[in-house]
Each structure stands twice: as C-alpha cells, then as structure tokens.
C-alpha cells in the first residue's frame, strides 16, 4: 500500500467581490457577488514509503493547499486522499501521531521560550515515552549540531538555528510522513546545505516519506529523484527529475575565456551568444553538438579555458510554466 494516495482531489475557495466606496459597502449588505477560486483541480498521484518527492509549482499553484489537505488542516471540495491508510481530514489521533508538517514561513516553537521547552511540550502532546524522547533528541541534536542552543530563547537564535529546531520539533515523535513547505526559505547558503544534508541522511536512514516544496532548485536537485509539478491547481508532470530535464533541454551552455578578443560574428556561427564580455563568452549550443563545438573552438580559436555546463533546473521549470501559461 502506498504511503500517500491521492485520487481526484480538488479544493475550491468561495469568496465575495468587494467594491470600493461607502455606497458599495452598503449595497453589499443586501447583495454580494459570489466568486470561486479553484486552488486544486482533480489531481491524482501516489507516493511509496520512503520516497522523497519534490512538489513544485509557482506561487498560487496549489502546493500548500494540497499539503494542508494531506495533513488534515483543510477539507477538500471533492476527491479522496489516504495517508498511511488514514483519511487526513478525519483527524484521527492515531494518524496525527504519524506525520509532521514543517512550514518555513510559520513557527511552531514558542518565540520567548528556549526550544527545549517546546520540545517537552511536543513530547507530552504526542505522548512520547521518556526514553524515546531522550534518545531521539540526542540523535537529532547531534545530527543537526544544536545541543549547545537548546536552552537559548528562540528569538535569539539565527534563522538557520531556528529551522534546525523546527525540524527537531517535527521529528521528535518519529513520524512516518513529513510534509516540508519551503524549509530552506530565507536561509544562507551554508544553512541551506546543512538542512539538505540532514534531510538526505534522515530519509535514507529512517525510510521516512517526504514531500518537499521549494523554490530553491538546489533543494530539488540535491534531494529528489522524482518531482510532481502543479500549476493553476492542475498536475502537469509526475515523474523522474532526470527524465524531465532530458525532455525539456535541447542545448548546453559553453563558458569560454580567450587569450585575445574574438569577433561576435565568428562566435555566432557556433551557437547563440548569451553574453560577450571582452575575452569571455557564454554560448548556447545544441546538446548533441556541444562536444564538437568545444573541440572546434579549442582547435581554431585562442581558447584559454572552456566549461560545458548543463542548463539550470530552474530555467527548465520556468520554461514549463511558460508553456502552460501560453
């Protein structure tokens, strides 16, 4: 049985149109125009135990709404979902002990108290035995290197330290499913990498099922072999990350530096010139011809250094969204 199974899941929000002005405010007391927004539209997917799946989409695509339905915070308008065999919005006690939701823009830790106080509170809420609590806290504290900040007020911690503590708070009861909504948002490069390395190791060792949303493509590339892409509430791709890249990338990027200036006209015959700055060029060439073009430049032009790079993943994702919009 899959850890997560979603069938024809939909969520529609109802709201009322509000026009400016006093008279329109008075009129709205007697007549209001009802409007609807389809945040999630008839999506289907399954995720197996132990998978770490990237859940991608632009702002407003329906990612967070989907995670909230899967965690039982929201009721769907239509469709079904099962997480570990439970219907999330029934909010059964047994289910709530087996998943965790971490939202990068919302805190679960008490701001004015040390993180340890929030951990103890979570221990009582989830009825974690003392021995298990101590063992899990010691393990997570060592993995995330936070043992020396457990008794410091949360408000005095850096953003990276707070996010590490948020992860500990979410994992203290050893959930089988973890929903991560932008866990590295706002973090510096070092903190982002630390969180990624922890998630990769924890997923590998504990076989925990993880759904990750992120606008940082480095997160997705480092952690996820499979991605689900949603746009305007509709699922537009579900499959391997490498398959996605191979399908949508038909070129490579050559970064070349020369020992002397090379005319743009000469370079234009080899590919599309993206940048040309004195003795450096960024050239877009067909993927199948990249090696031949590089060899030609090394033989016939005053090349000092040359790099053949893959297209950035975020460029691919943006192009997919642009195609959907068109």
């Amino acid at each position: 049985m899959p850890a997560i199974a979603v069938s024809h899941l939909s969520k529609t929000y109802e709201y009322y149109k509000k026009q400016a002005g006093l008279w329109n405010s008075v009129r709205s007391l007697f007549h209001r125009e009802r409007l609807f927004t389809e945040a999630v539209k008839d999506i289907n997917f399954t995720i197996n135990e132990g998978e770490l799946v990237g859940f991608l989409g632009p702002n407003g695509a329906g990612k967070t709404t989907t995670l909230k339905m899967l965690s039982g915070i929201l009721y769907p308008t239509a469709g079904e979902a099962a997480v570990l065999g439970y219907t999330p919005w029934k909010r059964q006690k047994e289910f709530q002990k087996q998943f965790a939701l971490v939202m990068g823009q919302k805190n679960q830790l008490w701001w004015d108290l040390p993180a340890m106080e929030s951990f103890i509170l979570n221990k009582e809420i989830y009825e974690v035995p003392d021995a298990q609590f101590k063992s899990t806290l010691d393990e997570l504290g060592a993995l995330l290197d936070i043992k020396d900040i457990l008794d410091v007020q949360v408000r005095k911690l850096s953003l990276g330290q707070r996010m590490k503590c948020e992860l500990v708070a979410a994992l203290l009861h050893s959930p089988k499913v973890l929903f991560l909504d932008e866990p590295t948002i706002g973090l510096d490069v070092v903190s982002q990498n630390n969180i990624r390395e922890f998630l990769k190791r924890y997923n590998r060792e504990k076989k925990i099922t993880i759904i990750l949303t992120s606008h940082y493509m480095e997160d997705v590339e480092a952690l996820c072999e499979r991605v689900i892409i949603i746009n305007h509430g509709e699922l537009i791709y579900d499959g391997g990350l490498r398959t996605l890249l191979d399908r949508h990338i038909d070129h490579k990027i050559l970064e070349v530096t020369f020992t002397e200036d090379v005319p743009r006209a000469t370079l234009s015959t080899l590919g599309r010139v993206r940048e040309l700055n004195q003795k450096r060029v960024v050239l877009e060439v067909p993927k199948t011809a990249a090696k031949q073009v590089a060899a030609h430049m090394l033989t016939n032009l005053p090349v000092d250094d040359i790099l053949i790079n893959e297209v950035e993943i975020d460029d691919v994702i943006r192009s997919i969204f642009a195609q959907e919009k068109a």
Side-chain angles (χ1 to χ4, degrees):
M1 182 176 64
I4 300 171
V6 171
S7 177
H8 302 290
L9 194 64
S10 300
K11 179 64 178 178
T12 300
Y13 290 103
E14 177 182 333
Y15 64 101
Y16 295 93
K17 187 175 182 179
K18 175 67 171 69
Q19 295 182 340
L22 177 60
W23 172 241
N24 286 322
S25 296
V26 173
R27 278 204 326 175
S28 69
L29 296 174
F30 305 96
H31 175 73
R32 293 187 294 177
E33 182 180 353
R34 183 185 298 179
L35 301 173
F36 299 92
T37 296
E38 293 182 284
V40 177
K41 305 176 186 177
D42 194 38
I43 64 173
N44 302 273
F45 61 83
T46 60
I47 296 176
N48 294 323
E49 180 183 351
E51 275 196 278
L52 200 168
V53 178
F55 196 45
L56 310 181
N59 290 329
K63 304 186 303 297
T64 300
T65 297
T66 302
L67 293 190
K68 286 182 176 180
M69 287 191 284
L70 293 179
S71 58
I73 296 174
L74 292 177
Y75 285 82
T77 305
E80 298 177 351
V83 180
L84 301 173
Y86 296 93
T87 302
W89 43 90
K90 289 184 178 179
R91 300 174 185 170
Q92 295 153 284
K93 184 178 180 180
E94 295 80 6
F95 168 63
Q96 293 180 325
K97 288 184 176 182
Q98 297 189 62
F99 83 93
L101 170 64
V102 177
M103 305 182 75
Q105 301 186 61
K106 293 189 178 181
N107 299 324
Q108 63 173 316
L109 303 174
W110 288 84
W111 190 248
D112 293 310
L113 297 176
M116 190 64 183
E117 298 292 332
S118 294
F119 296 163
I120 293 172
L121 177 61
N122 278 16
K123 169 187 176 296
E124 299 302 323
I125 290 173
Y126 289 102
E127 300 176 342
V128 180
D130 291 344
Q132 180 183 333
F133 173 77
K134 183 179 185 306
S135 173
T136 303
L137 183 58
D138 287 345
E139 179 185 15
L140 293 174
L143 285 174
L144 288 167
D145 191 24
I146 59 166
K147 288 187 174 182
D148 59 340
I149 61 171
L150 295 181
D151 296 319
V152 179
Q153 279 183 301
V154 171
R155 64 164 59 248
K156 295 180 180 179
L157 300 178
S158 70
L159 186 58
Q161 290 172 327
R162 289 205 301 273
M163 182 49 62
K164 288 181 179 181
C165 290
E166 291 281 351
L167 284 171
V168 172
L171 297 172
L172 277 173
H173 60 289
S174 302
K176 296 179 181 178
V177 172
L178 178 61
F179 301 113
L180 294 173
D181 191 17
E182 302 284 356
T184 60
I185 190 168
L187 301 184
D188 61 72
V189 173
V190 174
S191 296
Q192 287 178 15
N193 188 64
N194 289 339
I195 297 296
R196 289 183 201 121
E197 289 301 316
F198 167 75
L199 291 173
K200 186 187 301 183
R201 179 175 176 180
Y202 196 82
N203 169 252
R204 182 178 64 250
E205 294 180 356
K206 302 296 183 181
K207 305 301 180 185
I208 185 173
T209 305
I210 301 176
I211 295 183
L212 167 73
T213 78
S214 180
H215 285 293
Y216 295 121
M217 289 302 108
E218 292 89 346
D219 291 348
V220 179
E221 188 173 18
L223 296 172
C224 306
E225 294 183 1
R226 173 187 171 193
V227 293
I228 296 173
I229 301 178
I230 187 172
N231 197 19
H232 301 299
E234 298 180 312
L235 193 150
I236 61 174
Y237 179 81
D238 180 0
L241 177 60
R242 179 48 51 189
T243 301
L244 175 73
L245 298 181
D246 290 342
R247 181 184 301 176
H248 290 273
I249 296 175
D250 60 359
H251 61 277
K252 291 191 176 185
I253 306 299
L254 270 61
E255 293 186 39
V256 189
T257 54
F258 302 105
T259 56
E260 57 187 72
D261 290 344
V262 177
R264 174 182 283 269
T266 300
L267 298 171
S268 297
T269 62
L270 302 174
R272 187 173 76 86
V273 178
R274 281 191 174 187
E275 289 180 41
L276 180 58
N277 184 10
Q278 294 180 339
K279 297 182 177 65
R280 176 180 176 273
V281 66
V282 178
L283 200 64
E284 181 181 306
V285 299
K287 182 165 60 174
T288 55
K291 291 182 179 179
Q292 293 91 323
V293 171
H296 174 82
M297 296 178 77
L298 286 168
T299 303
N300 299 285
L301 297 176
V303 173
D304 182 50
D305 190 22
I306 186 167
L307 294 173
I308 302 177
N309 297 322
E310 298 288 344
V311 178
E312 295 288 340
I313 294 180
D314 50 352
D315 290 339
V316 178
I317 301 298
R318 275 196 295 268
S319 70
I320 294 171
F321 294 152
Q323 291 171 15
E324 286 293 314
K325 188 175 181 180

